[in-house]
Amino acid sequence: MKFGRRRLDEPEINLIPFIDVLLVVLIFLMLSTTYSRFTELQINLPAADAEKLRERPAEIVVAVAADGRYAVNRRAIDGRSVEQLTAALVAAAGGREDTVVIVSADALAAHQTVVNVLDAARRAGLSRLTFAAQGAGVAPR
């Protein structure tokens, strides 16, 4: 008997079925994907002219600290009561009714302390109020 050595054929990888499957998946994804179009709003932004506004109304800045202390125009108020804050606002306003009260409260200040500032401004007869906010990307002072 003659036993011969079998020649080992190298394995062959056929890539054609693999490519066919990938193409079918690609076509399926292309057909099933929805393309959304984003609409844009056409807006006209207002223009500012810094030269026109030279005279600013009187402002009173009321700072509210995180622990509930108040300061009117950078002067600390001794107490934390609404009556003391009202007296300080009346003194700072000097009898002018067109004075703007700017509330600059700490982010961690209690809600009640800000409401006390609003109540004190109402009692002092100051109806023009605004809140100071820090802009995005601006480092605190």
Side-chain angles (χ1 to χ4, degrees), residues 4-100:
R5 289 182 112 188
R6 284 185 158 185
R7 277 197 291 162
L8 295 175
D9 293 331
E10 289 197 28
E12 183 179 320
I13 298 175
N14 193 355
L15 292 178
I16 294 175
F18 179 68
I19 293 173
D20 288 343
V21 169
L22 283 179
L23 285 175
V24 168
V25 169
L26 182 66
I27 291 172
F28 174 75
L29 289 175
M30 287 174 53
L31 293 177
S32 65
T33 303
T34 58
Y35 297 101
S36 60
R37 294 182 185 202
F38 296 102
T39 58
E40 294 180 10
L41 290 176
Q42 295 295 329
I43 57 173
N44 294 322
L45 296 175
D49 189 6
E51 296 300 320
K52 288 183 182 177
L53 185 61
R54 290 256 184 211
E55 187 178 320
R56 296 177 65 184
E59 295 177 346
I60 299 173
V61 179
V62 180
V64 181
D67 59 354
R69 292 177 292 132
Y70 299 107
V72 176
N73 288 339
R74 296 186 180 188
R75 289 190 199 112
I77 296 186
D78 294 332
R80 297 182 183 182
S81 70
V82 177
E83 290 78 19
Q84 291 171 330
L85 186 58
T86 303
L89 287 175
V90 168
R96 293 185 64 179
E97 293 183 9
D98 64 337
T99 304
V100 177

Side-chain angles (χ1 to χ4, degrees), residues 37 64 91 108 116 120 126:
R37 294 182 185 202
V64 181
L108 299 176
N116 288 346
L126 303 171

Side-chain angles (χ1 to χ4, degrees), residues 91-122:
R96 293 185 64 179
E97 293 183 9
D98 64 337
T99 304
V100 177
V101 177
I102 301 172
V103 181
S104 178
D106 190 277
L108 299 176
H111 181 73
Q112 184 61 48
T113 57
V114 176
V115 171
N116 288 346
V117 173
L118 300 179
D119 189 30
R122 181 187 57 82

